[in-house]
Amino acid sequence: PSVLGLRTVFTDHSCFSFADGASIHTNKLLKYFLAHVDSCISVSHTNRENLVLRANLAPEKIYVIPNAIDGTCFVPDPEKRPLPPTVNVVAINRLTHRKGIDLLADVIPIVCRMRPDVQWTIGGDGPKRA
């Protein structure tokens, strides 16, 4: 049944853990508050799977609508591209533990040792900004 006779949709942008104390409490609250939601929107398939597990929701109630980028606004200048075999990795997000920026920071030296042709561009703001 809907709450107050209103149809409701929840949009989820974050993947939470399952093990630490804060995540356990957050997931309990999420399960309680989403018990009567009509449907949910997730920004990725990974986010959708995480929400199914955290909130004990039926997968068919969750729709994936990826964050969009207007490709006409972000057209790189081909003359500024590095010569092959250079690989550019770009990460733009909120620089927080929950967004996984610490995991990226841990893997960069490993990737650089294995692939010296990789160039990194990391942008964003948040508590993990150096």
Side-chain angles (χ1 to χ4, degrees):
S2 61
V3 177
L4 299 175
L6 301 172
R7 295 186 56 113
T8 54
V9 176
F10 172 76
T11 302
D12 191 31
H13 293 264
S14 301
C15 289
F16 281 88
S17 175
F18 299 92
D20 61 277
S23 293
I24 291 169
H25 291 295
T26 300
N27 294 338
K28 285 181 181 181
L29 288 170
L30 191 67
K31 188 183 294 188
Y32 173 78
F33 285 113
L34 296 184
H36 299 292
V37 73
D38 292 295
S39 56
C40 296
I41 298 171
S42 288
V43 296
S44 70
H45 292 283
T46 301
N47 178 242
R48 178 180 180 263
E49 292 172 18
N50 185 265
L51 187 57
V52 166
L53 295 173
R54 288 175 28 230
N56 196 30
L57 291 173
E60 57 272 8
K61 288 181 76 170
I62 306 172
Y63 300 89
V64 176
I65 302 176
N67 290 325
I69 295 177
D70 184 350
T72 62
C73 294
F74 302 98
V75 180
D77 182 351
E79 293 180 15
K80 292 184 180 178
R81 290 185 185 163
L83 297 173
T86 301
V87 176
N88 289 313
V89 177
V90 180
I92 309 291
N93 62 303
R94 206 167 92 242
L95 304 176
T96 66
H97 174 76
R98 278 194 351 202
K99 294 291 187 178
I101 196 65
D102 54 325
L103 301 174
L104 181 61
D106 289 345
V107 79
I108 288 174
I110 298 166
V111 172
C112 288
R113 280 193 298 277
M114 296 171 60
R115 296 283 308 263
D117 55 334
V118 174
Q119 293 183 356
W120 300 86
T121 302
I122 300 171
D125 199 3
K128 294 287 185 179
R129 183 175 179 175

